[in-house]
Amino acid sequence: MTPPPTRRRRTAANGSAPAHNLPRRGTVRRAQAISTYGVGSLIAVDHESFVVSGLDEADHSWRRDESPVVHERRLARLLDVDFFRLPPASDDNSKDGLRVRRFPLMHSCPECNDLQPHRDFSPPAGRSVCGTCEVDLVPSRFVVACEAGHLDEFPYWQWVHRSPDRDSPRFGKCGGRLRMRTTGRTASLRSIVVSCTCGQVPEVSMEGSFRRNALKDLRLTCRGARPWLGTSATDPAGCGLALRTLQRGSSSVWQPVLKSALSIPPWSSGRADPLAEHWPALRQYDDPEHIRIYLRGAFPGGCPVPLDEVMALLDAEREEDPQDGREPGSDHRYRALRNKEYERLCAGNDESEQSRDEQFVCETPLGDPAVLQPLGIVGPMLVKKLREVRALKAFTRLVDAESTTDAKEMPLSAKPLRWLPAMEVQGEGVFLRLDDSRLDAWEKAPAVAARVERMRTAHQRVLEQRADDPGQAVASPATPRMVLLHTLAHVLINEWSLEAGYPSASLRERLYAADDMAGVLVYTATSDSAGSLGGLVAQGEPEVLDRAVRSAIRRAEWCSSDPLCMEADAAGSSGTNLAACHACVMLPETSCEHNNILLDRALLVGTPDDPALGFFAPLSED
């Protein structure tokens, strides 16, 4: 959890003093405020621990002059906001930065072994030391959370006294003081011992505190605590769900719910929408003449947006909304968003026909695409310019953010806001599609369908276990073409990281897998030195791409963990992978859309017992 020592940005502790008088506690990079240390997450700074504050206006969490506004109309419609904001800049001109609150409040002193709230140690102002022993205090290693996203202190007093009393969480009614010490006999939780000076109960180790029902057995349930909104903030709707004990630095404590979109015409200007307040009225008209009359009355000096562009925007909105009159949901709009991206990537967008301000340029390569036909690859496109906006919609605890339902997403503020934190990425990429006829024949093979069904069943079981109602669980996206495209994207990223000099963490996949889509976009996921230098676009020329795919497939035929990797009946989280491990196709988590699940290189190259299983199996015969 400790941030890297370089290229970091400032964060400030919360308090009532003016922002410029708040003490500086540490720094993180700007992008980490979205993906790693976002609202509600825990951050370790030296020997102290904090939770990043929420975005409520009352807290003035982000200074507006330090958080530039970002516009991406399609993503804003999807998330029902007006705009996005970048995290405060990481430079010497930053006057405020992110606000944080000390959490957990329970600390221990390694010298006197006292275990109590931070302020009860009477530390000097601006320091986290024991007022008596003058040694650094240690934040509690343990916290508790529930699947609804609440976070709270570990109930040490109740754990020692085996009591469900939550009215006196510090010392209870016994009048004693808590102590924590480490015996040093083992490296397990058995060596961490908590006691009370009341003498009424024996000392108790932390062993068993991580059992799923450990706190349930004490009749302790979630109180709905939300410390990122204030030390006494609780969910007004209450909670009552089961609590789970977690290590403070566990990845299960905070998982971001990220949504992203590519800026494509006609939504690719990236500028503020001058018609924002007029769209409800404009949507009532279909006839261009009626729209012209309305715009003439709304903008006497002339409409800032040409009529043909207004019509294109209205048509794009209608395509993203259901045709049966239903209220459009986020799932429908997100699928429509991907469909429009796929159509634009297939159609292209020639740079010579666009203005210099165009943020999406996608061209056909100069080489002959016919050289890729033996591979079953068609329609390669060179995406010379792209802009991606990634927004932090919410966060989850204990449950996978990619498979959760909206009910388990914790919002970033107590009150609804009309903006969300986001990052803007300028980059480049290569887009390719698979031949439809060859793909249709391959995915209908019984062996292919049976292999993918094993992964789909395992993934669906995981989704049902995490859902409140198993019957309403999200459907697994695993299909033969999805797993094939996903694995192909991974081996290409690994290949280009070796041959083209790109770190694998600087490349990212974007999958287009549906009944009418079969494409993958590999693009730069960062705008620094590994961002937009043209090196990735050069890999999309047919001759170069042909060599890269053939080399990637040859590498995928063998893994250093074979034969165990290839012959595994289940791999990955809860058996959601088959022939896939960190030695062959897995990537850094920032590069993968699906958290390194639903991967199987056997669908690329086949297995020793069934070589024809692989989509690219004919290459092995060349």
Side-chain angles (χ1 to χ4, degrees), residues 12 23 67 143 168-169 211 259 277 324 339-340 355 376 385 525 545-546 579:
S67 306
V143 295
S168 304
R211 287 189 301 107
K259 296 294 183 180
E277 62 185 52
D324 55 6
N339 290 339
K340 298 302 293 184
S355 67
K385 290 176 63 177
L545 182 58
D546 177 71

Side-chain angles (χ1 to χ4, degrees), residues 271-336:
R271 66 177 186 269
D273 187 358
L275 304 180
E277 62 185 52
H278 300 283
W279 287 114
L282 289 171
R283 293 188 187 103
Q284 301 176 13
Y285 302 109
D286 294 328
D287 183 42
E289 185 60 31
H290 291 161
I291 294 177
R292 180 184 290 107
I293 295 173
Y294 176 88
L295 294 176
R296 190 180 301 158
F299 299 93
C303 181
V305 181
L307 178 63
D308 57 348
E309 184 174 340
V310 174
M311 294 300 299
L313 294 172
L314 286 172
D315 291 341
E317 278 194 359
R318 294 186 181 107
E319 289 184 15
E320 293 179 2
D321 291 339
Q323 302 298 319
D324 55 6
R326 293 183 295 109
E327 182 68 21
S330 60
D331 290 342
H332 177 91
R333 280 183 171 167
Y334 200 64
R335 288 193 299 270

Side-chain angles (χ1 to χ4, degrees), residues 382-398:
L382 309 181
V383 187
K384 295 185 175 181
K385 290 176 63 177
L386 65 81
R387 170 181 178 263
E388 182 193 22
V389 176
R390 301 176 198 156
L392 176 62
K393 175 190 176 186
F395 63 88
T396 64
R397 306 194 197 277
L398 298 176

Side-chain angles (χ1 to χ4, degrees), residues 338-417:
R338 286 296 179 102
N339 290 339
K340 298 302 293 184
E341 290 179 1
Y342 183 76
E343 292 175 7
R344 179 56 63 174
L345 287 166
C346 293
N349 189 32
D350 197 300
E351 184 174 17
S352 61
E353 301 176 0
Q354 308 301 325
S355 67
R356 296 183 60 184
D357 296 333
E358 177 61 58
Q359 297 180 335
F360 178 83
V361 175
C362 179
E363 297 182 346
T364 304
L366 299 176
D368 184 8
V371 301
L372 297 171
Q373 289 181 356
L375 300 175
I377 293 176
V378 296
M381 299 295 284
L382 309 181
V383 187
K384 295 185 175 181
K385 290 176 63 177
L386 65 81
R387 170 181 178 263
E388 182 193 22
V389 176
R390 301 176 198 156
L392 176 62
K393 175 190 176 186
F395 63 88
T396 64
R397 306 194 197 277
L398 298 176
V399 297
D400 182 8
E402 293 296 325
S403 59
T404 187
T405 60
D406 291 343
K408 291 187 177 181
E409 293 178 359
M410 181 59 69
L412 307 181
S413 61
K415 299 179 181 179
L417 295 179

Side-chain angles (χ1 to χ4, degrees), residues 484-499 507 509 522 548-557 579 584-587 599-602 604-605 616:
L484 173 65
L485 288 167
H486 191 199
T487 312
L488 175 61
H490 278 229
V491 299
L492 276 176
I493 289 175
N494 280 330
E495 179 68 21
W496 283 333
S497 70
L498 294 172
E499 299 297 330
L507 300 178
E509 67 180 6
V522 176
V549 172
R550 290 178 182 273
S551 177
I553 296 304
R554 283 195 299 270
R555 294 180 190 276
E557 291 176 351
C584 52
V585 299
M586 287 190 176
L587 294 176
L599 293 165
D600 182 15
R601 60 190 174 90
L604 297 178
V605 299
F616 296 97

Side-chain angles (χ1 to χ4, degrees), residues 174-297:
C174 65
R177 299 173 64 89
L178 294 178
R179 299 288 179 87
M180 174 181 283
R181 65 184 181 88
T182 303
T183 64
R185 297 175 182 174
T186 68
S188 66
L189 294 175
R190 183 181 300 178
S191 294
I192 302 177
V193 179
V194 182
S195 61
C196 182
T197 59
C198 68
Q200 301 176 13
V201 292
E203 63 181 11
V204 179
S205 76
M206 293 297 294
E207 186 178 25
S209 59
F210 281 75
R211 287 189 301 107
R212 180 175 293 271
N213 295 324
L215 300 179
K216 182 179 180 180
D217 293 342
L218 296 179
R219 303 192 302 280
L220 296 175
T221 57
C222 180
R223 300 183 297 177
R226 300 182 294 179
W228 60 95
L229 301 179
T231 55
S232 59
T234 58
D235 193 330
C239 186
L241 292 180
L243 288 169
R244 289 283 302 280
T245 304
L246 298 170
Q247 290 271 12
R248 175 163 47 88
S250 170
S251 60
S252 297
V253 170
W254 187 84
Q255 294 191 43
V257 178
L258 298 173
K259 296 294 183 180
S260 67
L262 300 182
S263 295
I264 61 172
W267 310 97
S268 55
S269 64
R271 66 177 186 269
D273 187 358
L275 304 180
E277 62 185 52
H278 300 283
W279 287 114
L282 289 171
R283 293 188 187 103
Q284 301 176 13
Y285 302 109
D286 294 328
D287 183 42
E289 185 60 31
H290 291 161
I291 294 177
R292 180 184 290 107
I293 295 173
Y294 176 88
L295 294 176
R296 190 180 301 158

